[in-house]
Amino acid sequence: MENQSVWLGGLRGPVRLGMIGFTGLALVTFVILIVSQFVSAEPIGMYEMIRPAGRPLAMLMLFSLAGALLFASVYLSDTVGPIEERPSGFFDYISLVASRLAMISIAFVVIVMFYEVVSRYAFNRPTLWANELSLWIASFIFLLAGLYAMQQRSHIRIYVIYDMMPRAFQKTADVISVLLILLFTFTLVWGGFNDAWTRMLRMETFGTAWDPPLPGTVKPAILIIIVLVAVQAVSNLIADWNKAPEHHGHDDIDEHEIETLRRTLEDK
């Protein structure tokens, strides 16, 4: 990724310090939780972690983890990869932060599944929560990835007719596409709001042994993020309005990828 600041500017340093501070606090709290498993009469496990009321240590762990994820996502969004679309719209920075959160979350899924495999097959002690936690995290990864894909203009599109149009017709097609996205968003929110609101208010759970509130969190998140996707689509339309005509030939060459392959071969 490029090292220069994309949007934080002078705030890059303080955000980095916040990321380090919250991460350190989360690690210290995690170590304390591990030690408490052996010395405490009432250790805090994964069941208690999603029911932190009256458990200050669990609340501290969740708070520090949330802070670490937030600051890390903001800090990492301040750089873009060589093949990433640089932010140009009014909503792009929010989507970049969300994308970094999704990227970090993938690592958490890997860690959870690795722990489950080792616990199950090496120690014959499978967990009750690993599968559901990975599903929970993956649900948000999927949703946030959709927002990121919209910001990057990387959703599947068919350009056969679009590339043949003059720029004025391309703009018309873009407007129609955004209007359809807005219509879909409106109908989805209109039809699903009451159900999502009810599930969120009662924090509906999954009905399993660990019983996480998947329906009570994922259902509202679907509506929230689809609204963000629609806002991002409008942002893209405004940012791309004065761009030159687009042409998406299948023979386009990715110079960065070629250079990466060349360096890899030279290193060997």
Side-chain angles (χ1 to χ4, degrees), residues 21-147:
F22 273 105
T23 302
L25 179 60
L27 290 174
V28 171
T29 308
F30 178 73
V31 171
I32 295 174
L33 287 171
I34 295 298
V35 173
S36 70
Q37 298 295 313
F38 303 98
V39 300
S40 176
E42 296 182 356
I44 297 175
M46 290 299 294
Y47 185 86
E48 291 77 20
M49 285 301 299
I50 59 174
R51 299 165 181 84
R55 301 180 177 92
L57 198 58
M59 296 180 69
L60 178 61
M61 182 69 218
L62 294 176
F63 171 75
S64 58
L65 182 60
L69 289 174
L70 175 61
F71 276 90
S73 300
V74 173
Y75 178 75
L76 293 175
S77 71
D78 196 40
T79 55
V80 294
I83 62 173
E84 278 188 293
E85 184 85 17
R86 293 189 65 86
S88 57
F90 66 88
F91 200 72
D92 285 7
Y93 303 109
I94 301 296
S95 297
L96 281 178
V97 173
S99 73
R100 274 34 179 187
L101 178 59
M103 294 174 187
I104 296 170
S105 299
I106 293 173
F108 278 90
V109 173
V110 173
I111 292 171
V112 169
M113 296 311 298
F114 177 78
Y115 179 88
E116 170 66 10
V117 169
V118 173
S119 180
R120 178 183 294 270
Y121 295 105
F123 300 100
N124 197 27
R125 296 186 62 181
T127 68
L128 295 174
W129 50 265
N131 181 60
E132 292 161 20
L133 180 58
S134 61
L135 288 175
W136 199 0
I137 299 173
S139 300
F140 285 92
I141 293 174
F142 175 80
L143 294 172
L144 295 174
L147 176 59

